[in-house]
Amino acid sequence: MNQSQTNKILLIGINAKYIHSNPAVHSLKAYADKYYPERPDDCTVGIAEYTINQPSGAILADLYQRKPQVAAFSCYIWNWMMVQELLAELPKLLPDTALWLGGPEVSYHTQELMQSFPQLTGIMVGEGEETFLELLKYYCAHTTSLKEIKGIVCKDGFTGEHAPMNLNRIPFFYYDTLVTFKNRIIYYESQRGCPFQCAYCLSSIDKSLRLRDIETVKTELKYFLDNNVPQVKFIDRTFNCNEHHALSIWTYLKENDNGVTNFHFEIAADLLTDSQLEVMCGMRPGLIQLEIGVQSTNKATLQAINRRTDIDALRRKTAAIHSFHNIHQHLDLIAGLPHEDYNSFAQSFNAVYEMEPDQLQLGFLKVLKGSPMEQRASEYGIVCNSHPPYEVLYTRWLCFDDLLKLKGIEEMVEIYYNSSQFSHTLPVLNQAFASPFHMYEALANYYRANGYTTSTPSRLYRYQVLLDFACTVAPDLRALFVELLTFDLYLRENLKNRPDFSTENMLERDAAEKQKVRQFFEREIKTHEHLKGYEVCTPAQLLRMTHIERFSFPVWEKCPADCTVRLARPAYILFDYQDRSALTHDAAFYIIPL
């Protein structure tokens, strides 16, 4: 064996994007370093992280130059295709390197995998920290044999399950490595397992909910807060399934808020308690954000996927959070579930849309390996793609044609609703349709019929298309939609060159109006009645850093019906781009006398 390879173990993570990281490989290394510190000097453990956007050849070349004795890949649905490419080529360059796999994508159907990839030495199944530690000792000290290590599948078969991990034994790996996560999302785990049994989710298999010691969690969160980390994403499957654990963490974050860090949680909103809502109510806007899996409002569907969601309670709790105006809510739906046809999904969509989430994710069922849904797929007539991410193609209730329609609707929701760039236009446009679902359906059809692209990065392109679409639906309201879109645009952009669509019915300022604008800024520089934080600016600088727009309709009104009546006299809106919403990034605006 090449001496340069001896006892070098490389943990390999291939992420979906650069801003992502792989907490699994870092946790395995930290665990090994803590509990096997006095290993031979040449028994080093390294980490190599890449992205699926890199050429596989470049990754292969880098792995070759590292020349590990053991190459262990962390496998997920987003990187499994690339891992397979590397498995085919790496043995040609490093024939003596032992190849190992681990992660949710390879923890099931392991015997078939071992047969399909005979170049594999083995697969680590389930939780990996203790298994990897023992595997490290095997390669460094040769004190045991592979078949004595629990939690692996090798050529001799499965060695048996490892006992569930004690989470308090797992080191906090960010203490010495935080600099390596600069410009990346920080992932954090305060619990493992899930008490629920959602049929599409792998977490339903591990029902042994285990919590990390709450005082340890607080100490670790303090480290993030002290270092002003931009965002920490909890990877706990249902964060609030333990009421006291969730309340303790949210209370701690509220009391120790640094004014910078945002924390992301996946929760079951219907389980929120009054005490938890009370804590949330007083949080800084943007301190936390919530991802809430609704999936469906169809009772038969919820029963089939083993979800016990109380939809009425969910509606009440999300409404309460919405009233706080300080927490971003991201609600999820899944198309392709049992008993959910096109019309039923439309009802689920409308029900969730009425909850006014900040983002509505229209996802599609992924039939994950090892999930209960995979086991019952034939029963439900669910046919999915053979390749990752194993997305549904059709079901007994939803044909492929309908699924394609939903794909088009998903794109419209992503572009127009989830961008939060059309928050005043869409409610008015929705008045022309029987339901929100019908509006996005019609918009998707309009895009397709006219050959419009959804991939353009131009924001103004999307504004123009939406105006054209609105005018096919309500041609008599063109002037109103021009102003609504202009208002939405200036909430986000301090444009000095007016886009073409907003020049319609918008008179150029005459000399008298320009003089009034200058006089306003001269007064504002003295009084600061509206603009705060501009004390050192001149009137000319204020003019460049803000924007004043004239409107003939009250487009700022929250009630869509209220903005359709033309004003008796024009109103002037001042947009302050130094003062933006922490949730929507919209500029603050004021109605000013001019």
Side-chain angles (χ1 to χ4, degrees):
M1 182 180 293
N2 188 320
Q3 187 62 35
S4 65
Q5 281 186 299
T6 304
N7 295 336
K8 277 188 166 183
I9 292 87
L10 189 63
L11 296 166
I12 304 164
I14 305 177
N15 305 317
K17 298 179 181 178
Y18 173 77
I19 62 169
H20 297 167
S21 59
N22 187 313
V25 295
H26 290 276
S27 185
L28 265 59
K29 183 180 185 304
Y31 195 84
D33 289 344
K34 179 174 182 178
Y35 296 108
Y36 190 22
E38 298 179 357
R39 55 184 185 261
D41 292 340
D42 58 356
C43 187
T44 58
V45 176
I47 292 176
E49 288 194 75
Y50 310 98
T51 77
I52 59 174
N53 299 312
Q54 293 177 254
S56 59
I59 298 176
L60 182 67
D62 189 64
L63 293 175
Y64 169 76
Q65 291 170 342
R66 292 172 182 263
K67 292 182 170 58
Q69 179 193 357
V70 178
F73 292 87
S74 181
C75 303
Y76 299 86
I77 54 175
W78 59 80
N79 68 16
W80 178 230
M81 297 299 289
M82 180 169 281
V83 170
Q84 291 180 73
E85 288 185 48
L86 296 170
L87 288 178
E89 306 304 329
L90 197 57
K92 299 175 185 177
L93 300 173
L94 300 174
D96 295 327
T97 296
L99 300 177
W100 284 84
L101 305 179
E105 180 59 21
V106 295
S107 288
Y108 308 92
H109 310 306
T110 51
Q111 293 297 338
E112 291 91 329
L113 285 171
M114 291 296 294
Q115 293 174 5
S116 299
F117 300 97
Q119 64 271 47
L120 288 176
T121 304
I123 301 171
M124 289 181 280
V125 176
E127 291 180 297
E129 285 89 355
E130 190 62 36
T131 300
F132 178 70
L133 175 62
E134 295 179 24
L135 196 62
L136 183 63
K137 292 178 179 178
Y138 166 79
Y139 280 106
C140 294
H142 304 287
T143 56
T144 185
S145 65
L146 286 181
K147 60 186 177 182
E148 294 178 283
I149 301 175
K150 295 293 185 184
I152 67 172
V153 176
C154 54
K155 299 189 186 300
D156 292 332
F158 183 43
T159 60
E161 293 185 3
H162 235 302
M165 291 286 300
N166 179 347
L167 292 197
N168 296 315
R169 282 177 51 82
I170 298 176
F172 180 69
F173 56 80
Y174 288 108
Y175 280 136
D176 300 321
T177 63
L178 193 56
V179 65
T180 66
F181 294 92
K182 186 177 181 180
N183 300 322
R184 295 187 177 188
I185 297 173
I186 297 293
Y187 296 100
Y188 181 75
E189 184 177 43
S190 76
Q191 63 188 40
R192 279 186 187 172
C194 184
F196 305 115
Q197 301 177 23
C198 301
Y200 52 83
C201 181
L202 290 179
S203 295
S204 64
I205 298 172
D206 183 2
K207 302 177 184 64
S208 57
L209 178 66
R210 289 152 288 150
L211 306 176
R212 197 162 173 83
D213 175 72
I214 192 64
E215 295 306 317
T216 300
V217 171
K218 291 178 181 178
T219 299
E220 293 166 351
L221 294 180
K222 184 177 186 300
Y223 184 74
F224 294 138
L225 292 165
D226 289 346
N227 285 276
N228 290 327
V229 169
Q231 185 179 55
V232 176
K233 188 168 184 177
F234 276 66
I235 55 176
D236 306 349
R237 298 313 305 161
T238 306
F239 175 74
N240 64 322
C241 59
N242 182 290
E243 177 185 347
H244 177 73
H245 183 78
L247 180 61
S248 297
I249 291 175
W250 282 333
T251 301
Y252 178 82
L253 294 178
K254 178 183 176 182
E255 294 174 349
N256 295 273
D257 180 18
N258 61 7
V260 174
T261 306
N262 163 264
F263 294 87
H264 177 103
F265 302 92
E266 293 185 28
I267 70 163
D270 55 316
L271 300 182
L272 290 170
T273 65
D274 291 342
S275 298
Q276 291 169 342
L277 290 170
E278 184 177 353
V279 170
M280 289 180 180
C281 181
M283 287 180 170
R284 165 181 62 87
L287 172 60
I288 71 170
Q289 62 188 49
L290 304 176
E291 184 171 348
I292 301 166
V294 183
Q295 319 315 6
S296 174
T297 60
N298 184 313
K299 292 182 179 179
T301 298
L302 293 174
Q303 183 175 2
I305 62 175
N306 300 323
R307 284 184 69 85
R308 297 175 176 82
T309 306
D310 184 334
I311 297 297
D312 290 335
L314 185 146
R315 186 178 289 108
R316 291 194 303 272
K317 303 299 173 63
T318 55
I321 296 170
H322 186 72
S323 71
F324 302 159
H325 302 293
N326 63 349
I327 296 173
H328 176 102
Q329 295 187 90
H330 175 131
L331 272 58
D332 297 336
L333 286 170
I334 297 178
L337 293 172
H339 302 287
E340 187 98 273
D341 61 16
Y342 188 80
N343 292 329
S344 169
F345 187 83
Q347 293 174 9
S348 293
F349 180 96
N350 289 329
V352 173
Y353 196 89
E354 290 174 2
M355 298 178 196
E356 300 183 78
D358 296 284
Q359 284 196 316
L360 197 171
Q361 180 175 325
L362 197 169
F364 295 83
L365 176 66
K366 295 170 179 59
V367 185
L368 302 178
K369 291 180 180 178
S371 69
M373 187 61 70
E374 183 193 37
Q375 299 168 16
R376 303 185 66 179
S378 59
E379 174 188 345
Y380 292 133
I382 294 174
V383 175
C384 68
N385 198 302
S386 300
H387 300 290
Y390 314 112
E391 193 169 274
V392 63
L393 294 173
Y394 59 89
T395 74
R396 185 187 306 167
W397 299 272
L398 190 70
C399 67
F400 189 58
D401 285 330
D402 287 342
L403 186 136
L404 290 177
K405 293 178 186 177
L406 293 178
K407 286 282 187 179
I409 293 170
E410 176 203 20
E411 289 184 316
M412 296 302 101
V413 171
E414 193 64 28
I415 290 172
Y416 288 103
Y417 186 84
N418 289 345
S419 67
S420 301
Q421 296 168 12
F422 305 89
S423 57
H424 294 77
T425 305
L426 290 176
V428 178
L429 181 58
N430 187 47
Q431 301 281 302
F433 293 90
S435 73
F437 184 86
H438 286 95
M439 176 177 70
Y440 290 103
E441 180 185 52
L443 184 55
N445 291 337
Y446 184 78
Y447 259 76
R448 185 173 59 255
N450 290 278
Y452 292 134
T453 177
T454 58
S455 59
T456 175
S458 171
R459 183 177 298 176
L460 296 182
Y461 177 91
R462 297 168 182 172
Y463 279 81
Q464 183 64 58
V465 172
L466 188 61
L467 173 61
D468 294 343
F469 170 71
C471 291
T472 65
V473 176
D476 294 342
L477 298 181
R478 184 179 185 90
L480 171 62
F481 282 115
V482 167
E483 291 203 2
L484 284 165
L485 287 164
T486 300
F487 183 77
D488 278 335
L489 179 61
Y490 279 108
L491 275 176
R492 289 298 189 89
E493 300 280 356
N494 183 12
L495 295 181
K496 296 309 178 186
N497 295 320
R498 183 183 299 282
D500 291 342
F501 79 83
S502 69
T503 60
E504 299 182 29
N505 308 313
M506 304 290 280
L507 299 175
E508 289 294 324
R509 289 177 181 163
D510 57 22
E513 190 173 72
K514 290 179 180 178
Q515 178 63 20
K516 290 179 181 179
V517 169
R518 285 193 292 269
Q519 290 173 348
F520 169 81
F521 282 119
E522 289 170 358
R523 291 195 306 272
E524 190 65 25
I525 208 70
K526 298 174 183 177
T527 64
H528 303 293
E529 180 181 353
H530 301 98
L531 300 173
K532 313 300 180 184
Y534 294 86
E535 286 76 10
V536 297
C537 295
T538 65
Q541 289 173 325
L542 278 184
L543 181 61
R544 289 194 301 271
M545 297 169 68
T546 62
H547 181 75
I548 293 177
E549 188 66 45
R550 178 181 57 221
F551 293 95
S552 300
F553 295 90
V555 291
W556 56 88
E557 293 288 355
K558 293 295 183 182
C559 179
D562 291 346
C563 71
T564 60
V565 179
R566 190 179 290 270
L567 297 167
R569 55 182 299 178
Y572 293 87
I573 300 293
L574 170 67
F575 297 92
D576 179 3
Y577 298 102
Q578 297 287 92
D579 182 8
R580 291 182 179 270
S581 165
L583 300 186
T584 66
H585 205 57
D586 285 347
F589 66 90
Y590 312 95
I591 304 173
I592 60 171
L594 202 63

